[in-house]
Amino acid sequence: LSAVVALCQFALAGVIALVVLAAIGVHTLHRAAVDQAISQATTYAESIANQRFAPAVTDALANGDPAAVAAVDRIAREQLLNDRVVRVKLWTREGRIVYSDEPRLINEVFPLDAADLSILKSGKPDAGVSDLRAPENEYERSFGRLLQVYERVQTATGRPMLLELYLRFDSVTANARALGGAVAPAFLLALLALEILQVPLTWRLV
């Protein structure tokens, strides 16, 4: 009887450990998948900045020339805005929005924070969840949770500007769920197989 009790105790402890490891593993896989999806979104923004926006980013645009603003607007609406990308903003170092697909934002001024200025200085893209409570995000609140992706672009004279893309966060997590869904079953199956294999071995030892 004591052997059966010992075996049951071992099996129960194994099940508890299995559940804990599975929860930790699935969470870790999901977090890694989200990080990868955000990295892909950042790469996407970098490609957009270099291939589509860079030629239209001029000193005339920085100075508010209507023709330059209209040229960027055509690029944004024809090649960029879609179900995934819902907002575009282009900032000067001084925090003035020289272009947005939301016309009410153009020429509005919101001082850039240290992270934004660092991107302008280093040229290294970055991304983060949008703070919809911020004044500059007033017109994005209806979209729900968004991912902001930042990339530096420069005029021909080297004047740096900050390109900001807003992506639906659901589009990011959808890729993460797909990746996690592909990996998680194999991970859980391996844990379950380990538990099953340990039970007869433990019985023999007992």
Side-chain angles (χ1 to χ4, degrees):
L1 182 60
S2 60
V4 174
V5 172
L7 181 61
C8 290
Q9 290 175 339
F10 174 83
L12 179 59
V15 170
I16 294 173
L18 176 64
V19 171
V20 172
L21 287 174
I24 294 174
V26 169
H27 174 75
T28 302
L29 287 172
H30 178 73
R31 182 67 260 174
V34 170
D35 289 343
Q36 181 179 357
I38 291 175
S39 177
Q40 292 173 346
T42 303
T43 302
Y44 172 72
E46 188 174 10
S47 174
I48 290 293
N50 293 330
Q51 298 178 15
R52 301 180 187 179
F53 265 84
V57 176
T58 63
D59 288 319
L61 174 67
N63 294 330
D65 179 70
V69 172
V72 171
D73 189 57
R74 282 193 298 271
I75 294 173
R77 297 186 184 280
E78 294 175 4
Q79 304 183 37
L80 185 54
L81 291 169
N82 50 42
D83 291 339
R84 184 185 184 194
V85 180
V86 298
R87 178 72 74 238
V88 182
K89 296 175 186 175
L90 200 58
W91 305 70
T92 65
R93 181 187 294 275
E94 296 74 30
R96 182 168 60 88
I97 300 176
V98 297
Y99 171 74
S100 175
D101 61 287
E102 171 49 72
R104 289 173 291 183
L105 288 170
I106 296 177
N107 289 324
E108 291 292 315
V109 178
F110 305 96
L112 299 181
D113 60 24
D116 296 335
L117 293 174
S118 177
I119 296 169
L120 284 176
K121 182 178 180 179
S122 67
K124 184 179 179 180
D126 197 9
V129 177
S130 177
D131 179 7
L132 296 178
R133 297 169 300 177
E136 65 268 23
N137 295 330
E138 175 184 358
Y139 301 114
E140 286 78 62
R141 292 167 188 162
S142 61
F143 293 115
R145 196 178 188 196
L146 298 172
L147 178 72
Q148 295 176 207
V149 185
Y150 305 89
E151 172 67 29
R152 184 184 71 180
V153 292
Q154 297 186 91
T155 68
T157 60
R159 184 174 180 176
M161 300 178 71
L162 187 68
L163 173 63
E164 184 179 20
L165 305 181
Y166 289 70
L167 285 71
R168 292 188 187 276
F169 201 82
D170 286 347
S171 69
V172 176
T173 54
N175 294 335
R177 285 193 298 269
L179 181 59
V183 176
F187 173 75
L188 295 175
L189 184 60
L191 288 178
L192 181 60
L194 177 62
E195 175 66 14
I196 293 173
L197 289 173
Q198 284 180 332
V199 171
L201 176 61
T202 304
W203 174 252
R204 292 185 62 184
L205 291 173
V206 170

